[in-house]
Amino acid sequence: AQSVSQHNHHVILSEAASLELGCNYSYGGTVNLFWYVQYPGQHLQLLLKYFSGDPLVKGIKGFEAEFIKSKFSFNLRKPSVQWSDTAEYFCAVNTGGFKTIFGAGTRLFVKA
Amino acid sequence: KAGVTQTPRYLIKTRGQQVTLSCSPISGHRSVSWYQQTPGQGLQFLFEYFSETQRNKGNFPGRFSGRQFSNSRSEMNVSTLELGDSALYLCASSPTSQRGYNEQFFGPGTRLTVL
C-alpha cells in the first residue's frame, strides 16, 4: 500500500536556524508531491507542489523542496526560520488517482 | 472567491448516534474529498467525489458514507458513532481534474466529539 513517512514528529528550532523536514513515500511510479502547512487556528494551505520538471520547487514564504526520485524523498527546506513559521507541516503524495495520501505531520516550534 | 465552508464547526454526540457533516466547495470546484484528522495520525483519506460520483474510498468501515449533490456540495454521514470517531473532519475541494492530482483547498473542519 502507498504510504508517506515524515521522520520527525516534533521539531524545535531557534529563529534564524535552518530547517529541513524529511518526507519519504512508498510508490514506484509517477508521483505528484505536496507540502501543506497548518498554522495555529488556520486552515490547511498549500506550501508548494511538484508535478514534473525541475525537481527543486519553490513555494510561499521562502520554503523550497527537492524531489529525489532515487530516494523516494521530497524534503522541505528553509534557510532561516522565523517565529511565524511555527505550524504543523504535512507531506502528501498523489499517484494519479483520486486519492491523496498524507503523512502524519511534523509540528515545528520556532523559539523567538 | 469564498473558501471551502463546513458546517457545523463543532459537534458533540454520544455513542450509537449518527451525524451528518456538510461541505460547500469553492465555486467551480467539482471535486470534494473528505479526511479524518487525529493527533499523530495525520490526515486519513475517507472518500472523494466528482460530479456526484464517488471515485475513490479510503479504508474506513461502512459506517462512514458520503454523497455529493448536483451543485457540488457534499455531505458525509457517520452512523453508530464510536468513541474513536472523535476527530477533526476536513473537507477539501479541488478544481476539475481528470488526472487526479490537483492541489486541494481545505475548509476549517468540523470538530466531532463522541462521548
Side-chain angles (χ1 to χ4, degrees):
Chain A
Q2 299 146 20
S3 64
V4 177
S5 177
Q6 292 185 239
H7 313 301
N8 309 97
H9 294 297
H10 294 90
V11 173
I12 302 174
L13 295 172
S14 297
E15 274 194 315
S18 64
L19 169 73
E20 180 159 4
L21 301 182
C23 172
N24 285 89
Y25 61 91
S26 61
Y27 184 72
T30 301
V31 292
N32 303 293
L33 301 159
F34 307 84
W35 276 98
Y36 286 86
V37 61
Q38 190 169 35
Y39 297 103
Q42 294 188 28
H43 306 182
L44 263 168
Q45 59 184 281
L46 184 72
L47 204 51
L48 49 77
K49 60 189 177 186
Y50 171 80
F51 288 168
S52 62
D54 188 346
L56 184 62
V57 293
K58 295 191 184 299
I60 61 172
K61 302 185 180 184
F63 285 90
E64 64 178 32
E66 185 176 14
F67 170 49
I68 303 179
K69 190 174 180 180
S70 61
K71 295 185 178 180
F72 301 92
S73 70
F74 189 56
N75 293 353
L76 181 71
R77 298 194 294 247
K78 185 171 184 179
S80 175
V81 295
Q82 301 172 311
W83 176 80
S84 58
D85 293 325
T86 294
E88 189 161 18
Y89 294 81
F90 294 91
C91 180
V93 173
N94 181 288
T95 58
F98 308 110
K99 176 179 179 179
T100 299
I101 306 297
F102 283 76
T106 297
R107 286 184 183 267
L108 170 66
F109 180 73
V110 180
K111 298 184 289 184
Chain B
K1 272 185 180 178
V4 177
T5 58
Q6 292 186 245
T7 57
R9 293 291 312 278
Y10 302 91
L11 210 46
I12 299 175
K13 293 285 188 179
T14 55
R15 280 180 298 175
Q17 288 187 308
Q18 75 165 22
V19 66
T20 299
L21 312 182
S22 181
C23 170
S24 292
I26 291 172
S27 177
H29 287 189
R30 293 164 62 189
S31 169
V32 174
S33 297
W34 288 89
Y35 296 88
Q36 181 193 67
Q37 184 179 10
T38 52
Q41 296 291 316
L43 279 71
Q44 303 293 314
F45 174 78
L46 280 155
F47 23 66
E48 189 264 0
Y49 287 89
F50 180 83
S51 290
E52 303 178 66
T53 300
Q54 186 182 91
R55 297 193 295 189
N56 212 330
K57 189 176 189 302
N59 297 323
F60 279 82
R63 301 185 296 108
F64 291 80
S65 62
R67 60 178 175 168
Q68 186 180 36
F69 301 96
S70 58
N71 62 358
S72 294
R73 191 177 68 85
S74 178
E75 288 181 348
M76 67 163 281
N77 184 277
V78 188
S79 62
T80 319
L81 283 166
E82 300 177 1
L83 294 178
D85 296 334
S86 294
L88 181 67
Y89 289 88
L90 293 172
C91 169
S93 75
S94 190
T96 301
S97 167
Q98 295 302 314
R99 289 179 286 183
Y101 56 69
N102 276 336
E103 68 181 270
Q104 295 175 306
F105 296 80
F106 285 84
T110 294
R111 172 76 60 188
L112 172 64
T113 302
V114 182
L115 303 176

